[in-house]
Amino acid sequence: MRRSFRTGAVVWLVCAVVGAGCAADPETGPRSAGYAGTTTAVDFVGDLKRFISRARDDYGAPGAFVLLSRDGFTGFAASGTATTEGGPITADSTFRIASITKPIVAAVVLSQVDAGTLRLDDPLSSHLPGVVSHDDEITLRMLLDHTSGIFDPQDGDPIADIPRLTDPALRREAENVLDRYLAGEKVVASDRIVVAIAETHPGYFEPGTDIHYSNTNYQLLGMVLAGTTGEPLADLIDRTVAGPLGLVRTSLTPPHLSTPDIHGYGTDVDDGALVDLTDDLVTFGNGASGGVVSTPSELLAIIRAIVTGDLVGEELTREMQAGSPQSGSTYGLGLAGYGTSCGLFYGHEGGVNGMASIAMSSTDGADAVVIGFNLRSGEDPGLPGLADDVLCGS
């Protein structure tokens, strides 16, 4: 066998062979001619079963999945359950993709750049005057590649920051949202509140001089898109990404507030018990920093289309992949570069509400992977390393 994966009961699997038909059996896997002389599609999916079961056992998540395209095969395997109450994880199960939303929003922004509606070097002040400090120095490019220096509320204590809001009406709105949240309601703070809370802290550095990941950057991009186009971000994603790719289970939170199929869990700080965090939505704002819900199969299609240039064209795709010259970072315009043991891949990680995931693709789209766990604990699941194992293992 040419390759095996270093890390393995499967609940569901699907296989497609590029350029050939493939019949799949939910118990034994697909039947197909082999590749590399002796390896069969059954071997391919069997390796995926062992990989994801071992990875889930190591991390301790209720469930995990992997969808891999490699060497002309596409296989899916899952281990464990979608919730602590049970239920299968399939390639069509919805889950919160968290910050993998960012390359999607970046693609929407760049489609507007391509149309001439926006320019990468537009100052933020030309679209959202007075919303953040240094808005005449911060450009859309800096928001996309996290070189704006704007504070991320997740680095502070948003609840403690609410009394520091200087706009009385916005402070009252934030206090109302907090009261409802603490009373158990499913509420979402507005993007204006999220950005205003960030503004209660000084920036990390002068705009354009360094890099620091900040969800506020993408909240602002969502506001720019809505203001420039007159369309809600959810509709822009449907029109720019989901529609062209034929996706039917990809949506944005908000406005779509339904619970995904795969629940996400954290651990109680006192007794370590699992806590369902799936619908803790208060910090989602307009959704641009992490609100997309998708499925393993649809997310694989999305990341391939973005990385290969099917959505925004060759020149702008190169901009997405270029990285940040200010810091030497491999993070470009919404895409991160991953130097694996078998070459360079592009994609993004996501972590929110008890869900941890990664999606990566080669520049030609031939090799791509989506991995997810429905647990976020104090431990790091090491998603880039797992992706390297399954893409490059020998």
Side-chain angles (χ1 to χ4, degrees), residues 14 72-73 112 114 181 208-209 218 246 251 262 284 297 313 319 340 350 365:
V14 63
F73 288 78
Q112 295 298 315
D114 194 40
Y181 172 72
T209 62
Y218 278 73
S251 60
I262 304 174
F284 274 48
S297 59
E319 291 261 20
T340 74

Side-chain angles (χ1 to χ4, degrees), residues 211-245:
I211 186 169
H212 193 293
Y213 189 91
S214 176
N215 287 288
T216 314
N217 291 322
Y218 278 73
Q219 289 291 303
L220 290 163
L221 287 168
M223 295 163 71
V224 169
L225 284 167
T228 300
T229 66
E231 292 184 67
L233 181 59
D235 292 352
L236 287 168
I237 290 174
D238 286 344
R239 180 165 62 81
T240 306
V241 179
L245 297 179

Side-chain angles (χ1 to χ4, degrees), residues 17-390:
V17 178
V18 174
C22 176
D25 179 275
E27 295 299 326
T28 63
R31 299 180 180 89
S32 168
Y35 70 100
T38 59
T39 302
T40 67
V42 173
D43 295 326
F44 183 83
V45 173
D47 279 339
L48 287 179
K49 294 177 186 181
R50 287 182 287 276
F51 166 84
I52 200 60
S53 290
R54 174 68 176 276
R56 183 180 76 86
D57 287 346
D58 288 346
Y59 188 52
F65 61 81
V66 57
L67 176 59
L68 174 69
S69 280
R70 199 190 67 193
D71 300 323
F73 288 78
T74 298
F76 177 87
S79 176
T81 55
T83 78
T84 54
E85 302 300 315
I89 299 174
T90 78
D92 295 320
S93 297
T94 53
F95 70 101
R96 298 200 187 282
I97 72 170
S99 284
I100 309 175
T101 297
K102 290 181 174 72
I104 296 173
V105 171
V108 175
V109 171
L110 292 174
S111 72
Q112 295 298 315
V113 171
D114 194 40
T117 310
L118 297 173
R119 294 177 303 126
L120 286 172
D121 295 319
D122 281 350
L124 186 56
S125 57
S126 66
H127 300 283
L128 297 173
V131 173
V132 298
S133 55
H134 303 289
D135 59 358
D136 55 342
E137 302 171 47
I138 294 169
T139 66
L140 301 189
R141 185 190 300 274
M142 293 176 193
L143 298 177
L144 286 162
D145 68 7
H146 298 290
T147 58
S148 72
I150 298 172
F151 189 79
D152 188 338
Q154 292 189 11
D155 288 344
D157 183 348
I159 292 177
D161 291 336
I162 288 174
R164 300 171 59 195
L165 296 175
T166 56
D167 183 323
L170 203 58
R171 186 171 60 249
R172 285 192 297 271
E173 181 187 347
E175 289 168 345
N176 176 259
V177 169
L178 177 60
D179 289 343
R180 292 166 56 204
Y181 172 72
L182 294 176
E185 287 188 47
K186 186 190 288 188
V187 291
V188 185
S190 69
D191 47 22
R192 291 279 178 167
I193 290 175
V194 173
V195 172
I197 287 175
E199 281 292 288
T200 65
H201 294 265
Y204 298 112
F205 45 78
E206 291 297 313
T209 62
D210 205 341
I211 186 169
H212 193 293
Y213 189 91
S214 176
N215 287 288
T216 314
N217 291 322
Y218 278 73
Q219 289 291 303
L220 290 163
L221 287 168
M223 295 163 71
V224 169
L225 284 167
T228 300
T229 66
E231 292 184 67
L233 181 59
D235 292 352
L236 287 168
I237 290 174
D238 286 344
R239 180 165 62 81
T240 306
V241 179
L245 297 179
L247 310 180
V248 296
R249 304 209 73 196
T250 296
S251 60
L252 183 70
T253 302
H256 306 295
L257 301 180
S258 58
T259 303
D261 300 325
I262 304 174
H263 290 204
Y265 298 90
T267 52
D268 187 279
V269 294
D270 295 323
D271 60 11
L274 293 179
V275 180
D276 192 327
L277 303 175
T278 314
D279 291 332
D280 186 350
L281 308 177
V282 69
T283 61
F284 274 48
N286 57 33
S289 56
V292 167
V293 172
S294 191
T295 71
S297 59
E298 293 196 354
L299 183 53
L300 191 77
I302 291 169
I303 203 65
R304 273 176 156 166
I306 292 173
V307 173
T308 60
D310 286 349
L311 291 180
V312 299
E314 184 177 347
E315 184 176 346
L316 288 173
T317 300
R318 285 199 301 268
E319 291 261 20
M320 294 185 79
Q321 299 170 356
S324 167
Q326 292 89 340
S327 65
S329 168
T330 60
Y331 196 101
L333 305 185
L335 277 179
Y338 295 90
T340 74
S341 55
C342 57
L344 185 60
F345 288 75
Y346 292 95
H348 214 286
E349 291 177 71
V352 74
N353 291 33
M355 195 76 210
S357 55
I358 192 169
M360 294 165 48
S361 175
S362 58
T363 54
D364 62 1
D367 296 332
V369 67
V370 176
I371 301 172
F373 296 93
N374 58 354
L375 174 69
R376 289 189 75 202
S377 68
E379 303 274 333
D380 180 358
L383 287 165
L386 292 174
D388 192 319
D389 283 352
V390 78

